[in-house]
Amino acid sequence: MATDQLSLTFSALSDPTRRAILHRLAGGQATVSEIARPFDMTLAAVSKHLRVLEGAGLVSRGKDAQYRPARLDARPLAAASEWIGDYARFWEANLDALDAYLNVLQQLTPSATDKEKPHD
Amino acid sequence: MATDQLSLTFSALSDPTRRAILHRLAGGQATVSEIARPFDMTLAAVSKHLRVLEGAGLVSRGKDAQYRPARLDARPLAAASEWIGDYARFWEANLDALDAYLNVLQQLTPSATDKEKPHD
């Protein structure tokens, strides 16, 4: 079981519904039933996702016993962003290499525009 | 089961050993046994982590049947970084609020230095 904060953060983000819930909460706090509405999900399923997000510190819940509105807490994302950012030079290198390769291909292949006869 | 690319990426990153393997590969390609050495892990365990990383497109393997060196492919991290980056204004707001709170506390509490008598 992952217990370090970074693993908890990435694990919480590894589900499209949980990412959609965070997106919803970025627009303002919401109760479980407000969150459930657009997702066509049971309240129990939403609550389960919220518990995962809460466990990762990405969501905090209000104290009102009945509604306990959920709020986004984006702070753990700062460390996740920093971790990934350390690899930016690698994906930039990968993408530069792809660009260079596509440029070579383009120079070797006469472009569609050159070959195309104008329609009249 | 998560099958979208972003979920696969975050899921692959949600394990400290897999993040350490990516860190190792950022230093250059390596075989399974070279990766295993500093981790005190079985080759089977390393291979299993490599398959997860490969499934997420974060690692590619050489064609040499015997060694199949693993190489970092950081491109999927670009999208993950972009997703998280959309939340930067939220964690900055959270951290600013924390800063402001700490500043208020500091103004309300006489600092330790002010109260401390010099030892002589």
Side-chain angles (χ1 to χ4, degrees):
Chain A
M1 271 301 291
T3 50
D4 66 284
Q5 180 55 57
L6 212 43
S7 297
L8 287 173
T9 305
F10 285 132
S11 183
L13 298 181
S14 70
D15 181 280
T17 305
R18 286 198 291 272
R19 293 197 302 276
I21 290 174
L22 291 179
H23 186 76
R24 164 68 187 81
L25 297 179
Q29 64 172 37
T31 63
V32 172
S33 58
E34 284 168 341
I35 295 169
R37 213 167 295 149
F39 288 110
D40 191 28
M41 282 177 76
T42 63
L43 299 185
V46 170
S47 291
K48 200 174 159 188
H49 281 308
L50 280 177
R51 276 198 297 277
V52 176
L53 291 168
E54 236 184 315
L58 289 163
V59 156
S60 62
R61 305 288 298 274
K63 290 197 207 310
D64 179 317
Q66 205 177 351
Y67 299 112
R68 305 198 62 219
R71 263 184 292 268
L72 173 70
D73 186 343
R75 281 174 293 176
L77 296 179
S81 176
E82 201 179 326
W83 188 92
I84 294 182
D86 283 346
Y87 289 80
R89 64 194 169 99
F90 292 101
W91 77 66
E92 280 156 9
N94 284 137
L95 295 172
D96 286 350
L98 183 66
D99 267 355
Y101 174 70
L102 291 175
N103 278 335
V104 168
L105 275 190
Q106 212 159 33
Q107 282 163 19
L108 291 175
T109 319
S111 79
T113 324
D114 294 341
K115 285 190 294 185
E116 207 173 38
K117 294 280 190 297
H119 302 282
D120 51 10
Chain B
M1 272 300 291
T3 50
D4 66 284
Q5 179 55 56
L6 212 44
S7 297
L8 286 174
T9 304
F10 284 133
S11 183
L13 298 181
S14 72
D15 181 279
T17 305
R18 285 198 292 272
R19 293 197 303 277
I21 290 174
L22 291 179
H23 185 76
R24 163 68 186 82
L25 296 180
Q29 64 172 35
T31 63
V32 172
S33 58
E34 284 168 343
I35 294 168
R37 213 168 294 148
F39 287 111
D40 192 27
M41 282 177 77
T42 64
L43 299 185
V46 170
S47 292
K48 200 174 160 188
H49 281 308
L50 280 178
R51 276 197 296 277
V52 176
L53 291 167
E54 236 185 313
L58 289 163
V59 156
S60 62
R61 305 290 297 275
K63 290 196 207 311
D64 179 318
Q66 205 178 351
Y67 298 112
R68 304 196 65 216
R71 264 183 292 268
L72 173 70
D73 186 343
R75 282 175 292 178
L77 296 179
S81 177
E82 200 178 327
W83 188 92
I84 295 183
D86 283 346
Y87 290 80
R89 64 195 169 99
F90 292 102
W91 77 67
E92 281 156 9
N94 283 137
L95 295 172
D96 286 350
L98 182 68
D99 266 354
Y101 175 70
L102 291 175
N103 278 336
V104 168
L105 275 191
Q106 211 160 31
Q107 283 162 19
L108 291 174
T109 320
S111 78
T113 324
D114 294 342
K115 284 190 293 185
E116 206 173 39
K117 292 280 191 296
H119 304 282
D120 52 9

